[in-house]
Amino acid sequence: MPGMTAHAGFYEICAPKKGEYVFVSAAAGAVGQLVGQFAKLMGCYVVGSAGSQEKEEHDLDAALKSYLIMILLSDDILFSVVARGFPEGIDIYFDNVGGKMLDAVLLNMRNHGRIALCGMVSQYNLEQPDGVNNLMNLVYKRVRMEGFVVFDYNPFYSKFLETVLPYIREGKIVYVEDVVEGLESGPAALVGLFSGRNIGKQVVAIAHES
């Protein structure tokens, strides 16, 4: 399902072209790690963000490390760091975070850019969600922003397989899983998703085949 989500949001909503500038938030997560790799394989310039020092220190595969930067910043410099990663602006933003990150990206979008709203992990547990202040940039720069749910794209499943299976066979895509052992570890693993503790897809191993 995360692979299908990445494929639908990137290819169907963002409609990428070779050489475009792509930004992926939560790029070390279950979906983001694949979006970044799809973009690189297409010949795009890619920057991904992650939000913890542990992710920077984790032994990620080189295919992921090559585009991953760490956003460990106070809000007042978030815009300038996004701009530094994209001096010519952003064509495609795959949003898994929302909030202040989305606001900063809106100021850095290029004309006719596309934004896929996949999730907003920074907002899920807030009593008062952050507002977005820079929406007028959608008008000025003719940017299209669209939310999506993966189940709407089930008819595209065969197309997804046609794309991803050759990449897997050729070793061009890697996939990271964050595995914890035992059902008793499940609650802490679930809570950790909302603070960005996981690296890759969070999995709880109940038992192992002998």
Side-chain angles (χ1 to χ4, degrees):
M1 189 271 284
M4 183 66 183
T5 304
H7 187 276
F10 183 61
Y11 290 109
E12 303 301 330
I13 292 178
C14 295
K17 304 178 186 68
K18 183 178 180 179
E20 288 193 310
Y21 299 90
V22 178
F23 183 40
V24 185
S25 58
V31 175
Q33 62 174 312
L34 288 171
V35 175
Q37 292 178 80
F38 288 155
K40 288 202 71 175
L41 287 165
M42 192 159 192
C44 297
Y45 169 83
V46 190
V47 174
S49 69
S52 73
Q53 189 67 32
E54 289 79 8
K55 291 180 181 180
E56 186 173 19
E57 294 170 351
H58 190 270
D59 187 23
L60 289 173
D61 185 277
L64 300 181
K65 277 186 174 179
S66 62
Y67 69 86
L68 194 62
I69 62 169
M70 301 302 126
I71 303 287
L72 305 169
L73 311 167
S74 58
D75 298 336
D76 58 338
I77 61 172
L78 186 57
F79 164 75
S80 63
V81 170
V82 173
R84 202 157 59 234
F86 292 93
E88 298 185 49
I90 298 168
D91 293 300
I92 291 172
Y93 175 44
F94 196 101
D95 186 19
N96 295 300
V97 171
K100 293 180 174 64
M101 177 71 82
L102 175 59
D103 231 9
V105 168
L106 286 170
L107 292 172
N108 285 285
M109 292 298 294
R110 302 181 81 184
N111 289 346
H112 306 290
R114 289 85 71 203
I115 299 173
L117 300 176
C118 178
M120 297 195 174
V121 71
S122 72
Q123 305 300 296
Y124 296 152
N125 293 324
L126 298 183
E127 291 186 9
Q128 183 62 46
D130 294 325
V132 179
N133 300 309
N134 298 316
L135 288 173
M136 196 61 194
N137 284 275
L138 299 177
V139 179
Y140 295 147
K141 298 180 180 179
R142 288 83 79 197
V143 173
R144 179 168 58 84
M145 182 163 67
E146 181 178 346
F148 73 102
V149 177
V150 65
F151 306 114
D152 293 341
Y153 291 86
N154 284 342
F156 292 82
Y157 186 66
S158 60
K159 187 176 180 181
F160 161 64
L161 293 180
E162 289 173 7
T163 300
V164 77
L165 289 180
Y167 285 153
I168 293 172
R169 294 188 188 107
E170 295 165 17
K172 292 182 178 179
I173 280 183
V174 297
Y175 194 70
V176 178
E177 292 183 334
D178 193 330
V179 181
V180 297
E181 297 291 336
L183 189 59
E184 67 278 4
S185 302
L190 177 62
V191 171
L193 290 173
F194 300 102
S195 61
R197 192 181 305 163
N198 61 299
I199 300 173
K201 175 66 175 176
Q202 184 69 71
V203 177
V204 178
I206 306 302
H208 294 273
E209 293 181 357
S210 55

